[in-house]
């Protein structure tokens, strides 16, 4: 991930459906503050919604850390989702375009990855998953 995180880090627990909505609202608020266009706000909020739902459904809950980032040229939004769930056994399959296990918006990880500018995923079976995404202002 490029750029430095702002001092505005906000953490939202993800333990139920209402928390997924709170993540969406928080990401939208931070995206507006970072001056992302409406289209880019929608993209990062949609990706965050899918990833928050995955954190809840497949990771058994976890958290989202939302902050602004700045690379010296532009600002953006960084969201890091983490859980202590079972991890992703077949990462290649999970990242395949069109693959969804049926629990989210139907975007899957690959769809969320396409909506953002930077996407990093770390997972270990039995040790959870962390997904970090960044969307930059144009």
């Amino acid at each position: 991930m490029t750029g430095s995180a702002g001092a505005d880090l906000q953490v939202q627990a993800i333990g139920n459906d209402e928390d997924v909505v709170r993540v969406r609202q928080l990401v939208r608020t931070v995206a507006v503050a970072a001056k992302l266009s409406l289209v880019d706000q929608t993209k990062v909020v949609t990706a965050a919604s899918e990833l928050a739902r995955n954190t809840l459904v497949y990771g058994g809950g976890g958290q989202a850390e939302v902050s602004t980032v700045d690379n010296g040229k532009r600002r953006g939004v960084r969201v890091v989702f983490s859980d202590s769930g079972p991890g992703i056994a077949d990462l290649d399959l999970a990242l395949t375009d069109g693959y969804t296990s049926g629990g989210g918006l139907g975007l899957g990880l690959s769809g969320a990855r396409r909506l953002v500018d930077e996407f990093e995923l770390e997972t270990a079976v039995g040790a959870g998953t962390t997904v970090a995404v960044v969307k930059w202002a144009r």
Side-chain angles (χ1 to χ4, degrees):
M1 296 279 156
T2 56
S4 59
D8 61 347
L9 178 69
Q10 299 180 65
V11 178
Q12 171 62 56
I14 302 171
N16 57 47
D17 289 336
E18 291 79 20
D19 291 337
V20 173
V21 173
R22 287 185 190 97
V23 169
R24 288 178 59 95
Q25 293 168 336
L26 177 58
V27 170
R28 183 165 305 282
T29 299
V30 174
V32 169
K35 302 204 180 333
L36 269 65
S37 70
L38 183 58
V39 169
D40 287 339
Q41 290 172 35
T42 302
K43 286 180 179 180
V44 71
V45 168
T46 302
S49 181
E50 181 75 4
L51 296 170
R53 171 102 11 234
N54 285 356
T55 299
L56 177 62
V57 172
Y58 305 111
Q63 69 178 23
E65 298 176 358
V66 184
S67 62
T68 57
V69 287
D70 191 319
N71 67 1
K73 297 177 186 156
R74 55 191 174 158
R75 290 171 52 90
V77 178
R78 181 171 194 259
V79 190
V80 179
F81 297 89
S82 56
D83 67 60
S84 300
I88 301 170
D90 189 340
L91 188 55
D92 289 337
L93 177 61
L95 287 170
T96 300
D97 277 351
Y99 176 78
T100 178
S101 55
L105 298 172
L107 293 173
L109 291 171
S110 66
R113 180 171 58 181
R114 278 194 306 276
L115 291 169
V116 297
D117 299 314
E118 298 180 28
F119 181 97
E120 291 181 4
L121 189 152
E122 294 180 17
T123 188
V125 173
T129 301
T130 299
V131 180
V133 298
V134 174
K135 187 68 179 173
W136 293 105
R138 302 277 166 233

